[in-house]
Amino acid sequence: VNGKSNSFLDPFYKVRDVYQSFIDETTMLPSLFIRDVHEGSYSKKENYIFVRRKNEVVSGKRTYGVPKGIHDLVSTFYYLRCIDFSKQKKGAVINITAFFNDSLLNTGLVYTGKQTISTKLGKIRCYVFHPILIKGRIFKNQEGMILYVSEDKNQIPVRIESKVYLDYVRAD
C-alpha cells in the first residue's frame, strides 16, 4: 500500500507512506510486515516478523507474545476476502486483532449494507463497512472511515474513504 499526498498539499504536510505485507496464501496470515512512513516531520520504519510456531512477533530487538491468527494492517484486507459477506446482517461486527506500532490492536468492522459506487473502472456493487477506529493522531472520530469491498467472488477492497484532521482522504 502506497500513500502519498498530492503536490498541492506537499508544502504543508507531505506524506510518503509504504506498507508491505508478505502473506501465506494458504493461511492468509502474514509472515512479514514492513511499514515505512513519512508524514510531515514524523518518520517511522518498522519490520515485523511473524513467528507463527511460537505465536510471536519480532520487531527490531524486541519479541512480543501474540494471539494465534494475528494480522497486520495490510493482511487484514486479504483476510476479509475469505469471509462470506452475503450471509452478514446489517450491524454485524467482524472482530480483528492486528499487530501495529509495537502493540496489539483489537478492532473490528461494522457491516452497514451494500452500495454501488462509481470508479475509474466503472460502477461496482460493494459491501460497505465502517472500521472501528481509535481516535488519535489522524482520525477525527470512530466513525470517520468507510471501506468498500466488491460484492463478487473476489471481494476485493475497492475504496477507503476517511475524514482526517486536515481534510478528507479517498483511496481507490
Side-chain angles (χ1 to χ4, degrees):
V1 175
N2 294 306
K4 177 178 160 181
S5 55
N6 67 34
S7 58
F8 176 77
L9 288 177
D10 277 351
F12 307 104
Y13 194 77
K14 186 175 182 178
V15 174
R16 298 294 184 270
D17 293 352
V18 177
Y19 294 83
Q20 297 175 302
S21 184
F22 297 83
I23 303 168
D24 181 313
E25 64 185 40
T26 57
T27 64
M28 298 305 286
L29 294 171
S31 56
L32 173 65
F33 175 73
I34 299 169
R35 176 183 178 214
D36 187 7
V37 296
H38 304 275
E39 300 169 357
S41 61
Y42 176 81
S43 291
K44 188 162 191 173
K45 182 160 182 139
E46 298 173 301
N47 293 330
Y48 299 147
I49 299 169
F50 291 81
V51 184
R52 295 287 166 195
R53 68 185 183 283
K54 294 183 177 181
N55 291 326
E56 293 178 343
V57 173
V58 178
S59 174
K61 295 180 180 180
R62 297 191 65 185
T63 300
Y64 301 88
V66 295
K68 186 176 180 175
I70 194 161
H71 288 273
D72 61 54
L73 291 183
V74 176
S75 71
T76 298
F77 289 106
Y78 289 92
Y79 165 73
L80 294 175
R81 295 179 72 187
C82 301
I83 297 172
D84 184 358
F85 295 126
S86 67
K87 297 179 181 177
Q88 297 293 325
K89 293 182 180 179
K90 283 186 181 183
V93 176
I94 300 163
N95 293 306
I96 298 166
T97 302
F99 194 79
F100 181 71
N101 214 18
D102 287 335
S103 62
L104 291 178
L105 176 62
N106 293 306
T107 187
L109 293 172
V110 179
Y111 174 62
T112 60
K114 298 176 187 178
Q115 183 178 340
T116 301
I117 61 171
S118 295
T119 72
K120 290 179 183 178
L121 301 174
K123 292 186 177 192
I124 301 175
R125 184 81 174 150
C126 295
Y127 297 109
V128 182
F129 299 90
H130 287 267
I132 299 168
L133 304 172
I134 296 173
K135 291 181 187 178
R137 199 168 56 102
I138 296 175
F139 300 108
K140 283 185 176 180
N141 58 51
Q142 192 149 316
E143 294 79 33
M145 184 180 283
I146 303 171
L147 171 63
Y148 299 87
V149 176
S150 64
E151 183 193 353
D152 59 17
K153 67 177 181 149
N154 296 314
Q155 297 186 161
I156 296 171
V158 175
R159 176 176 291 161
I160 297 173
E161 295 177 345
S162 181
K163 295 176 187 174
V164 293
Y165 283 120
L166 296 176
D167 197 7
Y168 178 80
V169 175
R170 185 175 94 185
D172 286 341

